[in-house]
Amino acid sequence: MRIVKYPPPKRSTVYGGGNLWKTTAVEEIRVQAGNLAQDLLKSLNPIPYAVVENWFAPKPAMLFRQLFDKESSTYTYLIADSQTKEAILIDPVLEQVERDIQILRELGLTLRYCLETHIHADHITATRQLKSLTGCLSIMPENAQTTCADSYIADGKMLHIGNVQIQAIATPGHTDSHMAYLVNNTHLLTGDALFIRGCGRTDFQSGDAGLLYDAVTQKLFTLPDDTLVYPAHDYQGQTVSTIGEEKRWNPRFAGHSRSQFMELMDNLNLPYPKKMSEAVPANQHGGKV
Ligand SMILES: [Fe+2]
């Protein structure tokens, strides 16, 4: 075999001229490319990690909506597991059935339960209507003056909506069977036991100011300060507070002893709710008008 040795190419043929040889030397290009690659990697690092984190981050499990009825200043709460799409309505209002059905439909939710904090005196519950429209079940606090609920929930018991946990906390005083509900240990639905800078009245429906003081100060106020407080009513346009805020600033409780609170509640002299004679018997039958 004959080996032919080719002469090295002329610089001018390959690189286009003797002067460029120095500025575009292979070794130099290799170093420059290496540096460029390092810089690119540094600038890109946060992006892929962020993307990866988002891929594996747990998806928010709870859907939480605060809905308002202007006439009675009532908050209804829609809570759902955003993955299983199961939902519950707490304290639904009869006049808002269409609104509630629409939001359930728009969000693709299946209503499993209607749950009450207590038998209301200022509005009629939508539970009966929602049951016939959706097939959901009604749940009332244990010992509520009603016989038409599908189920009753007792103090400390837990209700599950997919992965969302709702724990009942007996908070008598506004009514004798009133319940607050702690949702996922972060959102506290206080019903009429505790309002933002106020509380529900205690002068009818077996109300008892001393019991309300005990329930709020010994149960609700022992929850972590950052627990969110969502009441069943607000008359000032306030939407949410925290346990820490209410402990410090609620004028009914802050700095008041049990007897001072009882005296204060005994002298509110409030007129009875307009719909009381209609609402209480209707609500004892799940909202039957
Ligand atoms: Fe009430």
Side-chain angles (χ1 to χ4, degrees):
M1 180 189 276
R2 189 173 164 224
I3 298 171
V4 179
K5 285 189 177 176
Y6 292 97
K10 287 182 185 172
R11 288 174 189 175
S12 56
T13 350
V14 177
Y15 299 108
N19 290 339
L20 288 176
W21 174 254
K22 286 184 182 171
T23 55
T24 55
V26 171
E27 200 52 42
E28 198 176 323
I29 290 170
R30 193 177 289 140
V31 171
Q32 284 173 357
N35 289 341
L36 181 63
Q38 292 283 350
D39 288 347
L40 278 172
L41 275 176
K42 273 183 211 159
S43 69
L44 284 175
N45 263 347
I47 296 166
Y49 283 128
V51 171
V52 169
E53 271 174 26
N54 284 343
W55 283 340
F56 293 102
K59 299 276 182 295
M62 181 168 67
L63 181 147
F64 186 94
R65 294 289 162 86
Q66 184 182 45
L67 309 167
F68 189 60
D69 175 63
K70 218 171 172 182
E71 197 196 332
S72 61
S73 298
T74 300
Y75 284 124
T76 295
Y77 294 94
L78 169 65
I79 297 170
D81 182 313
S82 50
Q83 287 173 332
T84 67
K85 300 288 186 182
E86 295 164 281
I88 184 169
L89 278 164
I90 292 118
D91 290 340
V93 174
L94 183 60
E95 287 78 5
Q96 300 294 344
V97 166
E98 275 182 36
R99 173 202 67 188
D100 296 347
I101 290 290
Q102 185 176 344
I103 193 167
L104 287 165
R105 190 171 50 232
E106 287 174 355
L107 299 181
L109 302 173
T110 302
L111 186 64
R112 292 273 181 240
Y113 306 109
C114 281
L115 174 66
E116 306 283 351
T117 51
H118 62 294
I119 291 185
H120 305 277
D122 56 355
H123 69 270
I124 297 173
T125 177
T127 292
R128 192 182 176 91
Q129 283 273 338
L130 289 165
K131 269 184 73 168
S132 69
L133 290 168
T134 68
C136 71
L137 299 176
S138 65
I139 305 177
M140 292 293 295
E142 191 181 48
N143 302 324
Q145 308 294 310
T146 175
T147 51
C148 67
D150 293 306
S151 181
Y152 296 85
I153 189 161
D155 183 29
K157 293 295 178 197
M158 201 78 85
L159 185 63
H160 295 269
I161 312 297
N163 289 313
V164 178
Q165 296 185 336
I166 300 178
Q167 186 179 17
I169 303 174
T171 38
H174 171 64
T175 70
D176 52 0
S177 56
H178 186 285
M179 292 279 182
Y181 299 108
L182 181 60
V183 186
N184 275 1
N185 290 318
T186 52
H187 295 55
L188 179 67
L189 309 187
T190 52
D192 288 13
L194 179 67
F195 293 157
I196 298 172
R197 313 295 192 262
C199 67
R201 59 198 294 172
T202 54
D203 55 337
F204 54 70
Q205 287 184 288
S206 312
D208 184 315
L211 286 182
L212 182 60
Y213 185 87
D214 295 342
V216 171
T217 58
Q218 293 171 21
K219 288 186 170 179
L220 305 188
F221 282 180
T222 59
L223 292 168
D225 277 359
D226 60 356
T227 306
L228 297 167
V229 168
Y230 286 98
H233 299 286
D234 192 88
Y235 306 94
Q236 322 288 332
Q238 303 162 111
T239 54
V240 61
S241 179
T242 64
I243 285 295
E245 263 181 66
E246 294 310 311
K247 269 159 61 177
R248 190 167 177 207
W249 298 113
N250 192 306
R252 297 266 172 96
F253 297 97
H256 286 156
S257 66
R258 193 178 195 265
S259 57
Q260 286 170 327
F261 176 78
M262 288 170 70
E263 194 186 335
L264 193 155
M265 295 304 287
D266 281 348
N267 291 292
L268 291 178
N269 299 318
L270 296 169
Y272 279 179
K274 275 181 270 172
K275 282 191 172 177
M276 186 171 167
S277 58
E278 180 194 357
V280 172
N283 290 333
Q284 286 172 332
H285 295 89
K288 187 178 182 182
V289 182

